[in-house]
Amino acid sequence: MKTHVPRGAFSRHLQSFRPLFGDRRLFDGFSTTLHGILASGGLRLSQIARCAPGSTCTAHAERRLRRLIHNQNARADLRPARLTELLTDLGARRMAGSDEVLVILDESDLRKPHSKRIENLDRVRALDGTSVRGFHTLTTLGIASNGTRALLYQTSFSTLAPGFRSRNSEYRSAVLAVKHALAQQGVTRLLWVLDRGFDAIDFLRFLHKQGQSFVVRAAHLDRMVQLDVGQRSMPLHEALDHASRLTTLSVEKAVFDVTTRRHRTVKFTCTAVPCTCPVHLAWGYCGAP
């Protein structure tokens, strides 16, 4: 039995990708394939064909899906780079007219523990801290000053893929793509929000050279910083006692304790302070004292 997937809002969203297809039939196949993926909950072509609306599980249906997915049809441009480019353009249009946009950059893991034959299958971290098969994903969410939200960038990558250079290169590509797309819509003031995985001097220096403002969560509190250019360097945990605090945020969250096998409530506190690192790169740190 096919799983029911609501088609209204999702189908309207897919209409934005219509220009990539040479005719209506190809676009209908693309839309049907995505609905089949959601309904089947997997990526096996036989399951997708069986669960896709209006299709049947036949060898012919699977062959059509295979040609479409592997970009073997000259009338449809489904290269991953082209899909990401269109996604970024659509998101930037939703941000048009905003005086400033908050940009959240996030790297997550796409876990495929049972997969064995997917090409360039990488290793990622499982929820229990072990290593499992999977891919890395990079996603950017934009939030305008009026509350409008839009997906600005999304891609997946493998460190084992031919031509892969570095994670830093992937981060830079995302920043440049989003910056350029928003600039075309008249949005030039961006504030990047970064988790501790992006707390690396090379990447933060790149943002600084691009004229981008950002807030990053500290990877550790032993990093040497300066409260101002020319002042003595000190560990971040010491600077927190002397710096002027921009803001302090606090939130309570239920977390699962693996030792007691129970949930408990934990209070997280985040303090933002302005500081400068000894290489004259200024940034705002979010630390958790």
Side-chain angles (χ1 to χ4, degrees):
M1 178 180 293
K2 295 182 179 181
T3 304
H4 173 69
V5 177
R7 304 189 65 182
F10 186 55
S11 295
R12 289 192 296 271
H13 172 70
L14 292 180
Q15 287 295 326
S16 303
F17 296 86
R18 177 65 177 85
L20 298 179
F21 299 86
D23 56 47
R24 178 76 185 186
R25 183 179 178 183
L26 281 174
F27 175 71
D28 288 343
F30 172 73
S31 178
T32 298
T33 299
L34 294 184
H35 280 93
I37 292 174
L38 294 178
S40 65
L43 295 177
R44 290 189 176 183
L45 292 180
S46 59
Q47 295 177 348
I48 296 173
R50 182 171 63 251
C51 296
S55 67
T56 57
C57 186
T58 64
H60 186 56
E62 289 187 36
R63 284 197 297 270
R64 289 201 304 268
L65 291 178
R66 192 177 300 278
R67 288 197 301 268
L68 185 65
I69 292 174
H70 291 283
N71 197 31
Q72 295 175 344
N73 196 307
R75 294 175 297 165
D77 187 2
L78 295 182
R79 293 173 293 116
R82 182 69 182 98
L83 292 173
T84 300
E85 179 184 346
L86 182 57
L87 179 68
T88 300
D89 181 63
L90 293 173
R93 291 182 184 181
R94 295 197 61 187
M95 300 287 104
S98 302
D99 56 350
E100 186 176 27
V101 172
L102 190 70
V103 185
I104 302 173
L105 181 62
D106 176 71
E107 181 181 356
S108 301
D109 296 326
L110 176 62
R111 302 176 185 90
K112 302 291 292 180
H114 305 295
S115 298
K116 297 180 180 180
R117 301 178 61 183
I118 300 179
E119 58 186 12
N120 305 321
L121 197 59
D122 208 341
R123 304 294 299 187
V124 299
R125 185 182 297 273
L127 295 178
D128 60 3
T130 60
S131 176
V132 297
R133 301 181 185 93
F135 297 93
H136 308 277
T137 68
L138 197 61
T139 305
T140 298
L141 175 68
I143 306 177
S145 53
N146 62 359
T148 301
R149 302 182 183 186
L151 195 61
L152 295 175
Y153 190 89
Q154 205 288 324
T155 189
S156 61
F157 63 91
S158 168
T159 60
L160 303 179
F164 175 80
R165 290 178 291 178
S166 66
R167 277 188 168 87
N168 203 24
S169 177
E170 296 290 339
Y171 302 159
R172 294 185 181 201
S173 297
V175 170
L176 292 176
V178 171
K179 175 188 174 184
H180 177 70
L182 289 175
Q184 289 186 322
Q185 301 301 323
V187 182
T188 56
R189 292 182 56 191
L190 310 180
L191 176 60
W192 293 81
V193 179
L194 311 169
D195 205 353
R196 67 178 61 188
F198 299 97
D199 181 15
I201 293 296
D202 288 343
F203 180 60
L204 299 182
R205 183 184 291 114
F206 166 76
L207 288 175
H208 183 63
K209 290 182 178 180
Q210 292 295 320
Q212 302 297 292
S213 301
F214 54 90
V215 176
V216 58
R217 187 158 69 111
H220 56 82
L221 298 183
D222 294 326
R223 181 181 297 286
M224 301 301 292
V225 298
Q226 298 171 347
L227 295 182
D228 202 352
V229 176
Q231 295 189 7
R232 74 177 182 89
S233 299
M234 64 181 72
L236 181 58
H237 63 80
E238 182 180 341
L240 290 173
D241 297 327
H242 301 281
S244 58
R245 301 194 176 192
L246 300 177
T247 186
T248 298
L249 305 176
S250 180
V251 62
E252 291 187 352
K253 182 178 180 181
V255 298
F256 183 72
D257 191 325
V258 295
T259 303
T260 62
R261 308 297 296 177
R262 294 182 179 180
H263 284 85
R264 59 187 178 91
T265 301
V266 178
K267 185 176 182 179
F268 296 92
T269 301
C270 179
T271 301
V273 299
C275 56
T276 303
C277 81
V279 294
H280 306 298
L281 168 65
W283 69 80
Y285 255 119
C286 276

